[in-house]
Amino acid sequence: MEGVITCFHTKCVSLPIRSFPLSRVSSLPRWRNNKLISSSRSVHLRSLCVSSSDTLVASGSPKEDERQSKVSSKKEGDDSEDLKFWMDKNGLPPCKVILKERPAHDQKHKPIHYVAASEDLQKGDVAFSVPDSLVVTLERVLGNETIAELLTTNKLSELACLALYLMYEKKQGKKSVWYPYIRELDRQRGRGQLDAESPLLWSEAELDYLTGSPTKAEVLERAEGIKREYNELDTVWFMAGSLFQQYPFDIPTEAFSFEIFKQAFVAIQSCVVHLQNVGLARRFALVPLGPPLLAYCSNCKAMLTAVDGAVELVVDRPYKAGDPIVVWCGPQPNAKLLLNYGFVDEDNPYDRVIVEAALNTEDPQYQDKRMVAQRNGKLSQQVFQVRVGKEREAVQDMLPYLRLGYMSDPSEMQSVISSQGPVCPVGRG
C-alpha cells in the first residue's frame, strides 16, 4: 500500500515526572504526581531542591542558611504567625481561614505553610478578603509612572517587573513593608503546595528526563525568554526612576546575577494571580493569602476575584475546619502546569494530546481526498486533540481521516466521493 500520510506525530503534553510520597500531600487526595496519561518512560525520583539560595535573593551557603534559620526561628517564632499578624495589623478584615503547616518532602526544607479553613465552610462563603493595600500589583509598584510604554516594548513582562521590585525590597530587610510576605515567599521557594519546582530550575541532567518531549523545548525557550528580560532590567530602572530612586543599590544587572533573577522570576510565576475585569496595571497580582499558600486545582472553579478595594476568595465547595483551601489554576494542560508550577494533575480535565496529520500532496488522489476532507469539515493538514475522558470520541474523529489518507484503491475512492455519509465510517468492530 502506498504511504500517503506525510505528517503524523503526537505532541504529548502529559509528561513523565518524578513521583513522591503522597503522604506529604495526604490532605489533597485527588492530586497525584506518580503517573501520567501519556507517559511512556519510567523516571527516577529527583531532588526537588536545586539551589541553596533563597528564592528572591541568595543569602549564602547552605550551612550559613541553616545557621541563620535556627537563629531566626529562636528569635522570631513561627513565620506563619508573623505573616498573619502582619496582615491583621495592616487591615486584613476578619476571615475564615488560618495558616497551617505540613512537612516538606525534603527534610532540609522548612515545613510548607498552607491556607486552611478555620471553621466549616459552605459553597459560596467568602473565605477571605485581602484589601488592595496588601496586594502587590504594577499599579502599586510603579505609582504614578506610566506603565504602557514599559509594557509595550515587548521586552519586559509584568512578572519581571514584580520580581525586580521584590528583589530590591528584600535587600532592605526588615525595613521593607513587605518583609513578612517576602520571607514567606522565600520559605516556600517557589515550590507550591506539592513541594515541586518548575523545570525552569532543574539542572541539565534533570532536564534530560524530558528528552523526546516537546516540553523540554518549551522549558529551554522560556528560560531564554527570562534571560532576555534580565538583559532589559536596567530599562525598568531608568524608565521608572521614581520607583527605584529610594533604593541605595546598584542598577539591576549589577545588583543581581541572572541565576538570582531567574529564581525570583520563577517564584513570582508560581504564585502570581491573574485577575479578571481589571485594568492593565492590576491584572497580575501577588496576594499574601493566595498562592503559594493556596493549593492549585484543575477541577475546581474558585478564583481570586477583584472586588471593590480588595481581592476575595469565594469557595466553590464545602470545607471542614482544618481542610486546605484550593483554587482554580485556569484551563491549563499538564505541560503548562509542569512548566509554571512544577506539577501535573492526573485528573486535569484540560489535559490533552495533540495529534497532527496531513494528506500527502504527492498522492495521485490528493485533490479528491482534499475535497472529501473539506466536505466533512477537515483540512488537508488537520489537528486533533485527545482530551482526558474523551479519548473514544477523539479516536472516532481521527480514524476516518486516517483511513482516507491511507486509501489507495481508486474504486474505493470513487465510492467515498459519491457517498453522502461520513468519510470512511468506523465500524463497531
Side-chain angles (χ1 to χ4, degrees), residues 26-59:
S26 58
S27 56
L28 297 177
R30 291 181 59 80
W31 289 77
R32 295 186 295 279
N33 210 28
N34 61 334
K35 62 178 182 176
L36 300 163
I37 299 166
S38 306
S39 175
S40 59
R41 310 168 63 192
S42 61
V43 211
H44 297 94
L45 181 68
R46 63 180 287 275
S47 170
L48 293 173
C49 177
V50 298
S51 173
S52 62
S53 62
D54 282 347
T55 301
L56 294 176
V57 178
S59 59

Side-chain angles (χ1 to χ4, degrees), residues 125-143:
D125 285 349
V126 177
F128 60 77
S129 181
V130 179
D132 286 346
S133 60
L134 294 175
V135 177
V136 185
T137 63
L138 283 188
E139 181 180 61
R140 180 182 180 93
V141 167
L142 297 177

Side-chain angles (χ1 to χ4, degrees), residues 216-233:
K216 182 175 182 178
E218 292 181 21
V219 171
L220 297 177
E221 182 180 355
R222 177 75 65 86
E224 283 298 316
I226 297 174
K227 178 66 174 180
R228 288 192 296 270
E229 294 207 61
Y230 172 76
N231 293 334
E232 294 294 332
L233 285 182

